[in-house]
Amino acid sequence: MQYMVVEIMKEIMRVTNIQELELLVQKVKKAQEKYASYSQEKVDLIFKQAALAANNQRIPLAKLAVSDTGMGIVEDKVIKNHFASEYIYNKYKSQKTCGVIEEDKAFGIQKIAAPVGIIAGIVPVTNPTSTTIFKTLIALKTRNGIILSPHPKAKKCTIETAKIILEAAISAGAPEGIVGWIDKPSIELSKALMQHQEITLILATGGPGMVRAAYSSGNPSLGVGAGNTPAVIDVSADIKTAVSSILLSKTFDNGMICASEQSVVVVDEIYEKVKQEFICRGAYFLNDEEKNQIGSLILKDGRLNPAIVGQSVGTIAKLADIQLKQEVSGCGEDSYCPLPSSYKTLIAEVEEIGATEAFSYEKLSPILAMYRAKNFQEAVTKAENLIEFGGPGHTAVLYTDPANLDDIAYFENGVKTSRVLINTPSSQGAIGDLYNFKLDPSLTLGCGSWGGNTISDNVAPYHLLNIKTVSQRRENMLWFRIPPKVYFKYGCLPVALRDLIGKKRAFIVTDKGLFNLGVVDRVTQALDEIGIKYDVFHDVEPDPTLSNVEQGLRLLRNYQPDAIIAIGGGSPMDAAKVMWLMYEHPDVEFAGLAMRFMDIRKRVYELPQLGQKAMLVAIPTTSGTGSEVTPFAVVTDEKVGVKYPLADYSLTPNMAIVDPGLVLNMPKKLTAYGGIDALTHALEAYVSVMATEFTDGLALQAIDLLFKYLPRAYNNGSNDPEAREKVHYAATIAGMAFANAFLGVCHSMAHKLGATFHVPHGLANALMISHVIRYNATDVPFKQAIFPQYKYPHAKKRYAQIADFLQLGGNTLDEKVEKLVENVENLKHQIDIPLTIKETLGSDDKTFYNSLEKMAEQAFDDQCTGANPRYPLINDLKELYVLAYCGCRIDAAFYHDDELGDLQLEKV
C-alpha cells in the first residue's frame, strides 16, 4: 500500500501556469464527482486518517513553516497544527455531512447534504500549515475537492502539508486528485483559480486585497475581515487574569493570529495598576522617543509593514534601532514575576485612533496600543472606534466581573463584532473550542456584513455544504374549538346560570333596548336566586366603537367581577369579548389583535389565554351572528372609520346559553336578516378551504333547518315556537361550523358594503350570496386559495352536495348548483329580501360606483377572503358588486376567459 501511494504521489502534476491550472481543475473535478457518491462511513474514515496524518507531522510542519516564512514561533505553530487537526477532527467526527442529515417523518421534512463541488482555498503567510490542514480537512469531510493557492512566501510548507493529507486520504480510499495546489503561486494564478467557472466556493484567508479579490471573483466566497481586536479592562476586572490572558494571546506565535489583541483600553481608576501588572508580567512600555521609532516602523506606504509581522520583540527593536531598557518596581516583595531575559510585548501609551496613529492599526506582531478611558462608557466608545477603524465585525474582548451583567450587556450591544469574548484571551478564544466548547473551532473567522463578509460565524463544515430540503405535502394540524358548555332548549337560561354558583360578582353587558324591554331581568333574577351580585352596562351601541368599549371597560375594571355575561345580539357579545380581553390583559395591543392573518394557528400576534380573572357567558337574543360560540368580534375604530374583524380562539366564550324563549318576539326584518346571515355562515363554511369532517355535518344541518323553518319563523313569529327554536339553533350550529372552517368572500364583501352604505349585515350577505355561489362554482378558477387540506378545486361539487342533502334535484353538478341558487333566491323572496343593492340603497348610481374601487380593495384584504375556495382578484370583486347592484348574473366559467370576448350577461 505504501509503495502504491508513493507511486501515486510521483504522478502529481505541477501547476506553474494557466494551462496546467486548467488541467488540475479538470482532474480535481473528476475526483470530486466520484467522491460525491461516497457514503458517510467512507468519508469519515478518510477524514480521520487525514487528520491523524497531519497531527503526526505537526512538529516538522511547524518547523518548515517558520523556516519557509521567517515568521512566528515553532512551538506555537505546533499548537496551531495540533488544533487544526485534532480539535477539528474531534469536533466534527460525528457530524453528518452525507445524504440525509436530518429528518422529521411526522412533518414530512428531510434535509439532505450535498457537496458544493470544488473549493479554492487561499492560504495566508501567517498561518500556512494550520490553515491548509483546516481547510483541507473540512473539504474532505464534506465530499468536496479543494485546490490550494499558497502565499508565495509559504509555498513549501503549504504544499508539503497538502501532500501529507492527500497521501493519507488516498490510502484511506479517497479518489486520486481530490486535493490539488498551485506549485508556483502568483497573483495571476490565484486570480485565475478564484474566477474559474468550475470553482463553486472560495475559502479566502489572507490580506484585505486577496479577500476583496475573492469576493469580486464572481464565485461564492467565504472570506474574513481584518482583525483589530480591542480588549477593554473594566474596574471590576481581575487585573492579574486580564493582563496574563492578554499577554498569553498577544505573544502566541508573535501575535499573528488575526483575532489577537491590538489595543488595550483601561478605565482610569485602575490604569496604573494594570500598567504595573503588564510591566511585572514582562511587557515593555515605550518612551516617547521609542514610540516614535516603532510607530514609524509599523506602516509602510500606508499599510502594515510585512517586515514586522510575526517577528519577536527583539527583532522589532533592532529594526527600529532601539535598545530596550527598563527599571522594575512595585512588583511585590515576593518578586513573583522577575524581569524576563527578553520582553514579551511592546506597549505604546497612545490617545488617538485613526490614520494619524500607527499604533491604532492591526499590527500582527507583539506590539500593543494602550488607551486610558475616563470611565467604562468611554472605554467602550474607544473600543467601538478601534473596531470601526481597523476591524469591523471581527472580535472584541471585555474583562470584567462575570456578575457585572449590566456592563457586559452594554459592551456586547455596543461593539459591532461577530465574536464578543468575556474574560478570554482573544487569539485562543476566538478560534473556538478552547475557552468555550460551544464556539465552533475554526481558523477562518467570518466578520459578517460589518466586515464585508457573507457570514459572521466561525467557518465550519456545514458552510461547505448545499442543503436540500425535501418537503412532503402535509395536512397540518387542525382543531375544533367551541365553548366548553353550550346550553339549549326553552327555559334553560336560569338553570344554566346556576353553573355560576361560587362566583362573587357578575358584570352584565347589553344594549339599552334590551335593558328597557326587561330582557335583562331574566338574568338578574337568576343571579339573585344564587346570591351573585351584579352590575349592568347597558349602553352598547350598534356596531360598537373602541370608545364605547372603553366606556364599559372603565366600569368593568372598577367593579372587578369574576363573571361577565353578554346578553343581546352580535354587538353586546362583540363588545363584551373585547372588554373581557382588556380587563384580563390591559397591556394587549389592539393593533396587534386586529392584525390580518393567513392562518389563525400561526398569527404573528398571539393573545394570552383568558379566563384567569373572569369567565365569559354569552346569551344570544337574536338568531344569526353565532357570536356566542365563535372566536370572532367586530369593533369599529371611530377615529379612522375602520371596522375591525377580530379573531382569536382566546375570545371564545366559556359558556353559551341558547334559550329560544329569548327570540320569540324578534322583529320580522331582524328574523330575515339574521336568518340569511346564518345561512351564509353555513354555506361558506361548507365550501371553505378549511372545512373538515367536524364542520361539514354542522353546516349541512344548519342549512337544512334554515330552509325548512326560516320562512315559518318570519311569517308566524311567536305563534310558531318550533320554527323560532329551530332557527335559533341553526344560527348557533352554523356559528360552530364557521368558527372552525371560517367564511369566504360573501362575508368579505358584505362587511365593506355594510360599512360603506350602512346596510344591515345579514341583508348585505343576502344581496351577495347567489352571485358568490355562481362565482365559486367552477373547477378551473383563475386562482385557488392556499391551504394544504384543499388539494384541488371542488367548490362546485360541494355546492352540489348541499343540493343533494336538501333533495333539490338536478342531474349534473351545474344543474344542482343552479337548483341551490334558485332555492336561495326563493327563500329570500319568501322573507322579503330586496333583489338588488340598487333597490336596497335607493340612491343614484354615481354614489355606488364612486365607492366601488375602495370597497373591492378592502373586501380583498378582509380576513374572510383567505378561506374562500376561489381566490379572487380585486377586479372579480368589483364585477360581483356590479352584478349584485344591477341584478345581473354571470356564469363563473366566463371569468378571465379571453376567448369569450365580452362578458355575457343575462337578467336574473
Side-chain angles (χ1 to χ4, degrees), residues 23 48 57 160 237 247 291 316 329 456 505 516 683 688 696 711 743 782 784 818 846 865 906:
L23 292 174
K48 179 179 181 179
Q57 296 299 312
E160 183 60 27
L247 289 174
K291 187 165 61 177
I316 293 171
S329 62
S456 53
R505 295 165 173 262
N516 291 337
L683 288 169
S688 162
D696 286 350
L743 297 167
F782 185 69
Q784 177 182 320
E818 280 306 312
K846 184 177 179 181
T865 299
E906 63 176 89

Side-chain angles (χ1 to χ4, degrees), residues 423-485:
N423 298 323
T424 303
S426 185
S427 293
Q428 296 85 350
I431 62 175
D433 212 24
L434 290 169
Y435 285 80
N436 189 313
F437 293 164
K438 294 295 287 185
L439 181 59
D440 289 339
S442 179
L443 291 177
T444 301
L445 312 182
C447 296
S449 61
W450 295 309
N453 298 167
T454 52
I455 63 166
S456 53
D457 298 334
N458 287 6
V459 172
Y462 65 84
H463 291 111
L464 277 56
L465 291 169
N466 286 318
I467 305 297
K468 303 176 189 177
T469 300
V470 180
S471 174
Q472 297 184 32
R473 182 167 180 149
R474 281 290 187 271
E475 296 188 355
N476 298 327
M477 182 201 77
L478 293 176
W479 53 46
F480 183 81
R481 296 190 180 183
I482 58 173
K485 296 180 180 180

